[in-house]
Amino acid sequence: MHDMPQAIKEHAPAQTFIRKYVFSVDHKVIGKQYFGLALVAVFIGMALSWLMRLHLAWPNLHIPGLQWLSSSGAPNGVITPEYYLSLMTMHGTLMIFFVLTNAPFAGFGNYFLPIQIGAEDMAFPRFNMMSFWVTLVAFCVLMSAFFVGDGPPLAGWTSYAPLSAVGGSAGPGEGTGQTLWAISIAIFCIGQLLGSLNFISTTLDLRTRGMTLMRMPLSTWAWFITSCIGLLAFAVLLPACLLLVLDRIAGTSFFVPSNLVISDQVQTHSGGSPLLWQHLFWFFGHPEVYIAIVPAMGIVSHILVNSMRRPLLSHRVVIYSLISIGFLSYMVWGHHMFVSGMSPFSALMFSFPTLIITIPSTIITLIWIGSLYGSKLRITAASLFALGFISLFVSGGVSGFFLAQPSIDIYLHATYFVVGHFHLVMGVASIFGIFAGTYFWFPKMFGRTMNEGLGKLHFWLTFVGAYCIFMPFHYLGLAGNVRRYSAFVEDYLQPLLPVHKFISIAALITGAAQLIFLYNLVYSRFRGKPATENPWEATSLEWSIPSPPPFDNFGGKHPVVYHDPYQYGIASSTGDYVMQNSPEQIQTVRDDKSLT
Amino acid sequence: MATTVHEPPRTEEEVRSGGGGFHDLVPADGNLRALRDHSPEPSRTGIWVGLAAITMSFAALTSALIVRQGAAPDWRHFTLPRILYLNTLVLLISSVSLEVSRRRFAPTSPREIKPSARWLYATLFLGMAFVTGQYVAWRQLASEGLFLATNPSSSFFYVFTVLHALHVLGGLAGLMYVIRRLKRFALRPSTLDVTSYYWHFMDVLWLYLLLVLLIRL
Ligand code: HEM
Ligand SMILES: [Cu+2]
């Protein structure tokens, strides 16, 4: 056996069920596994948000059955303030790490990056397999916090020290639960590092002949840039989590200051720096928000170009803007710490690049809108979600300009304004990117088409719903409604309760609308209309192979690439487009006058 | 921007110079299976990516050390165990021996593996000696009453040295894999090269960590 080259061994079709569907090294199976994990995580996360919204609007509501999940956290089904925070922490952690990182980046990226560059698999298929299984372990460790000790942690997805570092005396879930959180995230980092390593090497080394960097589709560019961001960001969060674990179980004092009294107990730690955690966390945390959004930007561009039937105003400028976003995302983390007691001078130093980073985002947005202007857009569920993405990204991004001013942020920092900002710009926008990608690529992934009618219904309900939920958050924030409170039963917040009720009802309806998506997904998987090779008349390589693709993608051959990725709006033998691997000669491009 | 005039498939030379990627993986007839064995390996890129991540992690830890030292007046200085310098020497020599092995490895005559293997064993041995030496250093500190949680300075000492030692253990695993492949005449030059880059990087990282510890502890 030993003279058989490694790669061929890895690329023979897997024989057993386990090798084929469970411990598979095939990037397509791994991509689907990530997608499936994200799907599980998103529905759990959504259920948690329902519980929170119910409690916020009706603080004394008995939620039947909840006492079985936690008898102390929800005696009689009424959520305690501490348990509310636990639900919030788990919601945020699940959504940011296991949904927004997993689905658009690891899920779709794994499936389509190798195909879009004409490779038969990732550069390191085994690392790839490990990265998924490591992530799954991280997920299980996190979920186990629901069932062991005294419940899930309550320090939020940012797990600020010292609360997160002192241990059980800090409240329910701050014992075992918080340790599990830190371990889970550390494991998650390892999985993401392996994934990023793979994405980068694959993009650099495995491109097929003719696939120059500038000929890569924008989605591939976005995954590539995201993996560069992720490589450095997760490499910082990993040691940060290790230090946190040491503070918690080994008695060190990295993050816990001296003479800290919690629950009438003087803590044994001394001299640590809570700000150190904030710096390490946000050095990861801000790039992380771009890890969530950049793949969605790539997916949306890829889909919009296809639906508009013409290239973007500039392919290159989008790429350069994405690169500068990736670069700048490392220089702004302090804007999350304006109220941390940091010197006003550093606040200014972080405010400035924060405003700069809005420039490339704005450029990309303008390119989308400028390219859309006057185009004959094909309205599909995928293109609707792509349009929705732009809308949400703009609406949520605008509030970023306000938050970037330290003097304004001091007022807004701990309010619902920030919650509204990041849910629109990162949460829902990125989810819209995932939806768009799902409707668009489902035919390729499963060989069947999703139901367009249901998809459009899903879009409108979700789009309107998302605005109903998250726009009012801004008004609440401006009115001084603090975030991370479990109920607003007395004091000046009482008059805002009707707004909260409205939001909660909107959240329940919008959440329920997601069942349409789930139904569509499951139904189409088995009963959907069989898909052809290239149902969207698209140009990139993934549409040049059967749906679903064979195990080695291109059937043992590698395609040769002759064209830029988005040759739409031309006259060719196939119609108004020509595929990247078609040797057909193109005379002129209608939209690009400089070439005619 | 749609540039698009028809472009004929590039010739072999053109593609090598970066047309279709950093490396061309497709031979003229486009047959994937025929070429896998002698195509350039992505591991040559991957290793630098991996090392970048490791660098980033230790940079984060270094900044944590600086911040923590300035955060409170409780930093206790102590002298590093002497054996660390011996360990440093051992690690440096191991790099030399790995380099010798790499130079002796002649892919043209795969059966002549003896000299290469001998130096690989030497490297393996020296690497193990280094880790053992680090262990001795930890025992020494412990006998002086300096444990992980004793003082922030000792905390960082242990965090740095243990994490580095874990990475060296990873390198040892890599070396064992290399030796196994070599004995089966299945070692690809890239595997050996990449392992040696990693190993040398562990040297450089160790020198850096030692310097930080010397200055700060
Ligand atoms: C237009 C550019 C943007 C600017 C100027 C901006 C600015 C800010 C600022 C200053 C904060 C801190 C507010 C505070 O905590 O007091 C913040 C929070 C946040 N932003 Fe943005 N942002 C922008 C775009 C984005 C994007 C694109 C994403 C995600 C894809 C994002 C995700 C977040 C998240 C998750 C938080 C809150 C984290 C937390 O405290 O839990 N932002 N933003
Ligand atoms: Cu930020």
Side-chain angles (χ1 to χ4, degrees), chain A residues 2 120 197 201 204-208 211-212 215 235 250 253 270-271 283 315 552 556 558 562 564 567 583 592 595, chain B residues 1-4 6-7 12 19-23 25-26 32-33 36 42 45-46 53 56-57 68 72 74 149 184:
Chain A
H2 64 254
E120 85 282 17
L197 174 74
S201 312
L204 291 181
D205 286 343
L206 297 192
R207 275 170 295 140
T208 192
M211 179 59 78
T212 60
R215 282 179 172 178
S253 302
S270 70
F283 186 87
H315 186 64
D552 59 356
H558 269 195
Y562 298 91
D564 274 5
Q567 295 301 355
D592 203 333
L595 281 171
Chain B
M1 180 194 286
T3 46
T4 88
H6 168 74
E7 233 190 272
E12 209 66 26
F22 276 18
H23 310 299
L25 283 180
V26 188
L32 179 68
R33 268 150 217 290
R36 271 339 223 118
T45 308
M56 199 65 195
S57 287
R68 177 61 184 85
D74 61 350
R184 295 184 182 175

Side-chain angles (χ1 to χ4, degrees), chain A residues 194-214:
Chain A
L194 290 173
S196 300
L197 174 74
N198 244 318
F199 277 47
I200 295 175
S201 312
T202 306
T203 316
L204 291 181
D205 286 343
L206 297 192
R207 275 170 295 140
T208 192
R209 179 194 274 190
M211 179 59 78
T212 60
L213 283 173
M214 280 300 153

Side-chain angles (χ1 to χ4, degrees), chain A residues 332-410:
Chain A
V332 300
W333 79 90
H335 66 213
H336 296 272
M337 300 168 57
F338 287 150
V339 300
S340 65
M342 180 166 79
S343 92
F345 181 69
S346 356
L348 204 63
M349 290 303 288
F350 282 118
S351 172
F352 189 61
T354 304
L355 289 170
I356 302 277
I357 204 174
T358 62
I359 295 174
S361 315
T362 310
I363 293 178
I364 296 181
T365 311
L366 289 179
I367 289 183
W368 285 329
I369 294 175
S371 314
L372 278 165
Y373 184 76
S375 71
K376 294 201 183 62
L377 190 70
R378 288 186 184 170
I379 300 291
T380 59
S383 70
L384 281 176
F385 271 105
L387 290 181
F389 170 91
I390 300 179
S391 164
L392 290 159
F393 185 69
V394 172
S395 310
V398 166
S399 49
F401 290 85
F402 295 85
L403 295 171
Q405 325 283 336
S407 48
I408 303 179
D409 182 67
I410 287 170

Side-chain angles (χ1 to χ4, degrees), chain A residues 2 5-8 11 120 123-124 193 197 200-201 204-212 215 231-232 235-236 239 242-243 246 250-254 270-273 276 280 283 311-316 551-552 556-558 562 564 567 583-586 589 592 595, chain B residues 1-10 12 15 18-33 36-37 41-43 45-47 49-50 52-53 56-57 60-61 63-64 67-68 71-72 74 148-149 152 155-156 159 163 177 181 184-186 188:
Chain A
H2 64 254
Q6 191 83 5
I8 293 187
H11 282 284
E120 85 282 17
F124 310 109
L193 287 173
L197 174 74
I200 295 175
S201 312
L204 291 181
D205 286 343
L206 297 192
R207 275 170 295 140
T208 192
R209 179 194 274 190
M211 179 59 78
T212 60
R215 282 179 172 178
L231 187 80
L232 302 184
V236 170
L242 288 181
L243 298 187
L246 289 181
T252 56
S253 302
F254 295 108
S270 70
S273 164
L276 174 59
L280 290 174
F283 186 87
L312 290 178
L313 290 183
S314 173
H315 186 64
R316 270 169 201 272
F551 76 96
D552 59 356
K557 296 258 183 191
H558 269 195
Y562 298 91
D564 274 5
Q567 295 301 355
E584 183 173 345
Q585 188 149 355
I586 309 170
V589 176
D592 203 333
L595 281 171
Chain B
M1 180 194 286
T3 46
T4 88
V5 216
H6 168 74
E7 233 190 272
R10 289 154 187 270
E12 209 66 26
V15 176
F22 276 18
H23 310 299
D24 172 37
L25 283 180
V26 188
D29 61 354
N31 185 342
L32 179 68
R33 268 150 217 290
R36 271 339 223 118
D37 209 24
E41 295 296 316
S43 53
T45 308
I47 188 69
V49 180
M56 199 65 195
S57 287
L61 286 168
S63 72
V67 171
R68 177 61 184 85
D74 61 350
L148 176 64
S155 306
F156 276 104
V159 168
L163 284 182
Y177 175 78
R181 303 292 295 178
R184 295 184 182 175
F185 308 106
R188 282 174 293 179

Side-chain angles (χ1 to χ4, degrees), chain A residues 157 282 289-290 293 335-336 354 358 393 397 400-401 403-404 409 413 418 421-422 425-426 483:
Chain A
W157 82 279
W282 285 117
V289 308
Y290 285 99
I293 205 72
H335 66 213
H336 296 272
T354 304
T358 62
F393 185 69
F401 290 85
L403 295 171
D409 182 67
H413 170 70
V418 171
H421 160 69
F422 74 76
V425 75
M426 151 152 146
R483 80 191 264 208

Side-chain angles (χ1 to χ4, degrees), chain B residues 83 87 125-139 165 169 172:
Chain B
I83 191 165
N87 296 348
F125 173 77
L126 289 166
M128 286 173 178
F130 172 80
V131 177
T132 318
Q134 296 293 79
Y135 179 75
V136 174
W138 299 326
R139 301 298 314 164
L169 285 179
L172 287 176

